[in-house]
């Protein structure tokens, strides 16, 4: 491998880091001063002495920038913050600081009528963030090292020639009596002085003949003596400069099991608290500043290698990760003081459960289903009809929750099989069109089952209202309960039920994905013809995926009917300004990350939360939705929580560059 060094010019290191530290400290200090003179701007930024509103976001971003800057200058113990280096993570974090701060400053100017409404603290904050950005982007990285593949005529000979010296000499400069030849000299052609470094018992050969088999200039017997050491030395050198350092670095990342478990139990609740802060933002200005800061910070964590490290950590401790997630979810409902955001969380969990079912069909099997929301409606209507509602056609029937859930799941599976059996022999766009038609047929059918256009079953467009609350093992979900000093409201009760439900669904999904059937689904997704050639019954397995995905959506629908207390046909459309609908369900899977568990849940949370928080977009929410998908497909096509295989497929060149950099770093570490 040939290394090419390119000079990179910029600010002197002391000046660049001085701007970063100074700008971050100035921005941090400005949060303790007033940014505006009036309370008309949300968040009360008029107080001097402590931060408030969006100033808290600037304060947190400045602290993180300072922490990473300390790691970049070599403070002991902070190297773990950026396994892949501090350059780009520090840039992304300073952008997070500048973007969130300047958005707030511009919002003050726009909403209050000009920059005259800024207090001195606002100007100081803006100048500080700009100084930090200028410093980090002006920093000189010294020498930028890239790698180039060796040319065909020097690939084998160069490695053998450079490996001819003993292994001890590869870690230091060549000694006077060493036969090691610099690599660039080998590739350049015959050199009169460097080609005549003889070894004992070997006739010196011209330099140009090192890329071929031994010529007449080399004695056969001595060549056999030196050939084995050359090959063995080459192998040893490759092992020591490549595999061993990489294994050493991997081992260095590993910590004792108790430390790794403690890390999981700390980071997962911390992520939940961060999500809760964004959910509790009471105005659009605070939410947009939060979204900008979190977006750039996520980019920084990815470039630092922390997301990959945490993914590997959770993969080693799947049980602990699941338990920590459930505990964090329970803590969330404890932190809520009213039903405002618990209602949103309930809808997100219903949406996420259905998205997990769609992930089996789209993410694992590769089938494009555009009418999946119909299965959610099948489960909801099935539960509503047997809920005991006075407006139900079967008002005299009132099944317990487990009976309604079982009925909704079974009916959804039946519909899935009936639709899938004649259509799953289609592929690609044709299957998508058929499933889209099924979704619209379901909505039109339940809209017409009103006793006029068809049988009296669903009350037509009026739907089935007044669905009673659940009563599970004597626990009335419609009443508030006090447990250990904690008040659980109606939506808090349903939230805990949905957390338990989604835990079961995630467990089922994980076991199916890692089973023989799951591997067969992945094989069908990658290449159905090749899978069939290996003996996989594609039609049967696709039908199984379709039925299992429909069952999970039907199960989610049975809970949704009791949460919303009303089921109407217009809730189950192909597209709309708010979820759930088929377009948003598919987008949640793609946006979050196909083939993963956390991806659809995160995608569902983002797609449900953003339209609710950005109410000022009104009828332009679909435009925002389209722009988000375009940006995701351009910059992160594998999703927010990518599957490892899909991430490697989308970023082959970047991964190759990272491996090359690691190899160069390993060689330098040995040298």
């Amino acid at each position: 491998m040939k290394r090419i060094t390119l000079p990179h010019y910029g600010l002197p290191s002391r000046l660049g880091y001085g701007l970063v530290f100074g700008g971050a400290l100035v921005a941090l200090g400005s949060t303790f001063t007033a940014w505006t003179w009036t309370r008309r701007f949300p968040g009360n930024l008029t107080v001097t002495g402590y931060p408030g509103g969006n100033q808290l976001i600037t304060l947190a971003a400045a602290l993180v920038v300072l922490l990473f800057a300390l790691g970049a200058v070599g403070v002991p113990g902070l190297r773990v913050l950026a396994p892949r280096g501090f350059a780009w993570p520090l840039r992304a974090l300073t952008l997070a600081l500048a973007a969130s701060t300047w958005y707030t400053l511009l919002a003050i100017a726009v909403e209050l009528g000009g920059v005259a409404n800024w207090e001195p603290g606002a100007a100081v904050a803006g100048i500080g963030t700009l100084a930090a950005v200028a410093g980090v982007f002006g920093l000189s990285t010294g020498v930028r090292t890239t790698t180039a593949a060796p040319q065909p005529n020097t690939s084998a000979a160069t490695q053998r020639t450079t490996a001819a010296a003993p292994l001890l000499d590869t870690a230091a400069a060549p000694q006077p009596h060493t036969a090691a030849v610099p690599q660039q000299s080998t590739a350049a052609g015959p050199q009169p002085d460097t080609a005549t470094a003889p070894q004992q018992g070997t006739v010196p050969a011209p330099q140009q003949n090192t890329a071929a088999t031994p010529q007449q200039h080399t004695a056969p017997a001595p060549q056999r003596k030196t050939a084995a050491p050359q090959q063995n030395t080459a192998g040893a050198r490759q092992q020591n400069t490549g595999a061993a350092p990489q294994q050493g670095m991997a081992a260095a990342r590993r910590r004792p099991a108790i430390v790794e478990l403690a890390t999981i139990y700390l980071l997962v609740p911390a992520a939940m608290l961060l999500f809760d802060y964004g959910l509790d933002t009471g105005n659009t200005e605070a939410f947009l500043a939060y979204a900008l800061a979190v977006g750039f910070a996520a980019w920084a964590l990815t470039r630092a290698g922390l997301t990959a490290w945490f993914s590997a950590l959770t993969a080693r401790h799947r049980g602990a990760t699941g338990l920590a997630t459930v505990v964090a979810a329970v803590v969330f409902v404890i932190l809520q003081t009213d039903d405002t955001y618990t209602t949103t969380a309930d809808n997100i969990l219903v949406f996420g459960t259905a998205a997990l079912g769609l992930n089996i069909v789209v993410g694992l099997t590769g089938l494009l289903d555009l009418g999946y929301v119909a299965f959610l409606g099948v489960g909801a209507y099935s539960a509503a009809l047997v809920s005991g509602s006075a407006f139900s056609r079967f008002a005299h029937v009132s099944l317990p929750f487990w009976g309604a859930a079982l009925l909704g799941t079974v009916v959804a599976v039946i519909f899935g099989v009936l639709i899938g059996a004649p259509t799953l022999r289609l592929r690609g766009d044709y299957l998508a069109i058929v499933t889209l038609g099924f979704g619209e047929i379901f909505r039109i059918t339940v809209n017409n089952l009103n006793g006029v256009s068809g049988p009296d079953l669903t009350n037509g467009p009026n739907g089935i209202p007044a669905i009673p609350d659940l009563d599970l093992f004597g626990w009335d979900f419609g009443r508030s309960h006090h447990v250990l000093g904690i008040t659980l409201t109606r939506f808090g009760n349903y939230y805990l039920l949905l957390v338990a439900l989604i835990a079961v669904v995630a467990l089922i999904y994980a076991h199916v994905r890692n089973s023989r059937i799951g591997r067969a689904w992945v094989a069908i997704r990658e290449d159905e013809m090749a899978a069939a050639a290996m003996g996989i019954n594609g039609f049967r397995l696709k039908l199984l995926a379709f039925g299992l995905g429909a069952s999970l959506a039907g199960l989610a629908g049975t809970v949704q009917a009791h949460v919303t207390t009303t089921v109407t046909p217009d809730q189950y459309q192909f597209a709309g300004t708010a979820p759930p609908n088929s377009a948003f369900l598919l987008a949640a899977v793609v946006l979050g990350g196909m083939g993963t568990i956390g991806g659809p849940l995160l995608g569902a949370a983002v797609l449900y939360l953003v339209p609710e928080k950005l109410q000022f977009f009104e009828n332009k929410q679909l435009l925002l939705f389209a722009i988000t998908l375009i940006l995701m497909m351009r910059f992160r096509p594998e999703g927010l929580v990518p599957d490892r295989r899909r991430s490697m497929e989308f970023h082959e060149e970047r991964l190759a560059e990272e491996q090359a950099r690691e190899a160069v770093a390993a060689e330098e570490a040995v040298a």
Side-chain angles (χ1 to χ4, degrees), residues 238-298:
Q238 290 175 0
Q239 293 173 1
N240 283 277
T241 60
Q246 291 177 3
Q247 292 174 359
M249 289 186 291
R253 298 189 188 103
R254 298 290 293 269
R255 298 289 186 271
I258 186 65
V259 176
E260 293 187 341
L261 291 175
T263 303
I264 291 174
Y265 286 121
L266 286 175
L267 292 182
V268 172
M272 178 59 69
L273 291 176
L274 182 64
F275 172 77
D276 179 65
Y277 179 86
L279 190 63
D280 287 341
T281 52
N283 53 79
T284 302
E285 292 82 0
F287 180 76
L288 282 178
Y290 164 84
L292 288 171
V294 169
F296 280 107

Side-chain angles (χ1 to χ4, degrees), residues 120-185:
V124 169
I127 294 172
T129 56
L130 291 180
V133 172
V136 75
F137 278 91
L139 275 172
S140 172
T141 57
V143 176
R144 182 160 54 92
T145 303
T146 60
T147 58
Q151 300 299 323
N153 60 342
T154 61
S155 59
T158 302
Q159 295 177 4
R160 287 196 297 268
T161 305
T162 55
L167 179 60
L168 184 61
D169 294 334
T170 61
Q175 302 300 323
H177 299 290
T178 304
V181 181
Q183 186 171 355
Q184 59 270 23
S185 300

Side-chain angles (χ1 to χ4, degrees), residues 183-208:
Q183 186 171 355
Q184 59 270 23
S185 300
T186 305
Q191 302 292 336
D193 296 328
T194 59
T196 58
Q199 300 179 9
Q200 284 186 344
T202 306
V203 177
Q207 183 78 16
Q208 64 270 20

Side-chain angles (χ1 to χ4, degrees), residues 44-68:
N44 191 13
L45 306 183
T46 64
V47 179
T48 299
Y50 60 89
N54 288 15
Q55 290 176 329
L56 293 172
I57 300 174
T58 298
L59 174 65
L63 289 174
V64 176
V65 167
L66 289 173
L67 187 64
F68 271 74

Side-chain angles (χ1 to χ4, degrees), residues 17 49 158 173 280 289-290 301 525 546 564 591 617:
Y17 281 113
T158 302
D280 287 341
Y290 164 84
L301 296 179
R525 182 192 69 192
F546 217 71
T564 60
L591 178 67
F617 274 95

Side-chain angles (χ1 to χ4, degrees), residues 84-426:
R84 296 178 182 173
F86 284 91
W88 276 105
L90 191 56
R91 292 180 177 184
L93 288 172
T94 53
L95 288 176
L97 173 62
S100 57
T101 302
W102 273 97
Y103 165 76
T104 303
L105 300 182
L106 293 176
I108 292 174
V110 171
E111 293 185 15
L112 300 182
V115 296
N117 295 281
W118 287 0
E119 288 291 318
V124 169
I127 294 172
T129 56
L130 291 180
V133 172
V136 75
F137 278 91
L139 275 172
S140 172
T141 57
V143 176
R144 182 160 54 92
T145 303
T146 60
T147 58
Q151 300 299 323
N153 60 342
T154 61
S155 59
T158 302
Q159 295 177 4
R160 287 196 297 268
T161 305
T162 55
L167 179 60
L168 184 61
D169 294 334
T170 61
Q175 302 300 323
H177 299 290
T178 304
V181 181
Q183 186 171 355
Q184 59 270 23
S185 300
T186 305
Q191 302 292 336
D193 296 328
T194 59
T196 58
Q199 300 179 9
Q200 284 186 344
T202 306
V203 177
Q207 183 78 16
Q208 64 270 20
N209 291 333
T210 59
T213 56
Q215 304 295 326
Q216 64 271 17
H217 299 287
T218 306
Q223 180 68 23
R224 285 194 297 270
K225 291 181 181 180
T226 59
Q230 289 174 1
Q231 293 175 359
N232 294 338
T233 308
R237 184 174 186 272
Q238 290 175 0
Q239 293 173 1
N240 283 277
T241 60
Q246 291 177 3
Q247 292 174 359
M249 289 186 291
R253 298 189 188 103
R254 298 290 293 269
R255 298 289 186 271
I258 186 65
V259 176
E260 293 187 341
L261 291 175
T263 303
I264 291 174
Y265 286 121
L266 286 175
L267 292 182
V268 172
M272 178 59 69
L273 291 176
L274 182 64
F275 172 77
D276 179 65
Y277 179 86
L279 190 63
D280 287 341
T281 52
N283 53 79
T284 302
E285 292 82 0
F287 180 76
L288 282 178
Y290 164 84
L292 288 171
V294 169
F296 280 107
W299 179 33
L301 296 179
T302 302
R303 295 304 299 263
L306 291 179
T307 53
W309 165 79
F310 188 70
S311 297
L313 182 64
T314 55
R316 292 195 296 269
H317 304 283
R318 297 184 186 275
T321 304
L323 179 60
T325 304
V326 172
V327 171
V330 173
V331 169
F332 170 82
V333 75
I334 296 175
L335 297 175
Q336 305 307 308
T337 57
D338 54 34
D339 283 339
T340 303
Y341 299 113
T342 310
T343 307
T344 302
D346 288 349
N347 292 324
I348 288 174
L349 290 179
V350 170
F351 190 25
T353 305
L356 270 178
L358 182 60
N359 198 22
I360 294 177
V361 180
V362 177
L364 292 183
T365 318
L367 304 175
L368 184 57
D369 189 347
L370 298 181
Y372 187 77
V373 75
F375 299 119
L376 186 69
V378 168
Y381 267 98
S382 299
L385 288 172
V386 296
S387 64
S389 170
F391 297 90
S392 170
R393 179 69 175 80
F394 309 101
H396 58 283
V397 178
S398 179
L399 294 182
F401 171 69
W402 64 266
L406 182 61
L407 177 64
T409 303
V410 171
V411 174
V413 170
I414 293 174
F415 271 85
V417 173
L418 290 177
I419 298 301
T423 61
L424 284 179
R425 299 188 186 277
L426 301 173

